Amino acid sequence: MTTQVRDSLSIDGKKFEIHEWDGDFECIPSSASLGFKTVCVNTNNWRGRIDHFLVNENKLVLFKIEVNLHPSNKDILPPGARREIVQRYDPIEHWDKNGMRMIQKLRQKEYLIFDDLPIPFTGSLILADPYLDYWEFPWPIPDDVDENQSFAEAIFEEGHLVGWVD
C-alpha cells in the first residue's frame, strides 16, 4: 500500500508530522459531520483530506483541512470555516515526438480554515520532525529526505497539552 500523507501538528511555530495516534481520536470531526464529502484523487491520500492541527494556548484545535472535495460539494463551506486556494507551478518533464522538454504544470491545493474548532482528544501523539510536506521542498526532492526525522510525544487530556517527551 502507498504510504499515506500524514496529518500535522504545529506547536510554538514548529510543524510536526503526526506519526501515530494513541487514544480516542473519534473526537476529530468527520467530513460528513462537517457537511461535505471528499474524494480520493491520489493513492497517497485515501481519505481525500489531510488535517492540520495547532496547539493554541495549550489547547488542541483543528486549524485547517486540506480537502479534495467531491464535485457535488465544491460550493459547500462548513459553518465557521473559510476557503483558501493555493496554486503552484511545478517543473515536470514532458515527452512528445520532439523529445523531452521541461514544462510548468499547475497544481492546486484547497483548504478549509477554521478559527475555533477545539478537539477534546485524550491520549498521546507520536510526532516526527520535520513534517515532510513536499510542497515545501525545493525541486528536485532528495531521495533520503525522510531519513533524518526525530520523534517526540505530545500528551493531551480533554484537548489540553499536559506533557511533552523528546
Side-chain angles (χ1 to χ4, degrees):
M1 183 169 128
T2 306
T3 302
Q4 298 297 289
V5 176
R6 297 188 189 270
D7 296 333
S8 75
L9 175 67
S10 294
I11 301 176
D12 295 331
K14 188 169 187 171
K15 190 173 183 179
F16 295 88
E17 182 178 281
I18 299 177
H19 195 72
E20 181 181 331
W21 290 85
D22 184 14
D24 182 17
F25 58 90
E26 296 295 320
C27 61
I28 300 166
S30 66
S31 298
S33 72
L34 292 171
F36 60 85
K37 280 200 296 189
T38 59
V39 293
C40 170
V41 294
N42 296 311
T43 59
N44 67 352
N45 186 356
W46 290 109
R47 295 184 307 159
R49 72 183 254 184
I50 301 166
D51 294 337
H52 297 279
F53 298 91
L54 174 69
V55 172
N56 184 28
E57 298 177 354
N58 274 353
K59 296 177 190 162
L60 182 64
V61 296
L62 180 54
F63 173 62
K64 67 181 175 180
I65 304 172
E66 180 183 332
V67 292
N68 297 312
L69 292 172
H70 187 277
S72 66
N73 287 201
K74 288 293 183 188
D75 295 328
I76 290 177
L77 192 60
R82 62 187 187 279
R83 182 172 275 109
E84 177 183 68
I85 306 290
V86 177
Q87 294 181 330
R88 177 174 105 172
Y89 287 90
D90 288 332
I92 64 167
E93 293 179 359
H94 177 76
W95 292 85
D96 59 20
K97 64 181 180 186
N98 298 321
M100 191 278 288
R101 63 187 165 100
M102 295 301 290
I103 63 169
Q104 301 293 318
K105 181 174 182 179
L106 174 64
R107 299 202 192 265
Q108 180 171 297
K109 287 187 173 192
E110 181 173 358
Y111 296 94
L112 300 175
I113 313 279
F114 297 88
D115 289 325
D116 187 23
L117 189 53
I119 304 298
F121 174 71
T122 296
S124 66
L125 299 178
I126 305 301
L127 306 172
D129 175 34
Y131 178 78
L132 298 176
D133 182 344
Y134 293 104
W135 275 54
E136 296 175 1
F137 279 91
W139 285 70
I141 298 168
D143 291 334
D144 63 347
V145 74
D146 62 347
E147 291 179 6
N148 297 318
Q149 284 184 305
S150 60
F151 294 89
E153 180 179 12
I155 303 162
F156 293 89
E157 287 182 16
E158 292 295 314
H160 291 84
L161 180 63
V162 296
W164 181 265
V165 180
D166 279 321

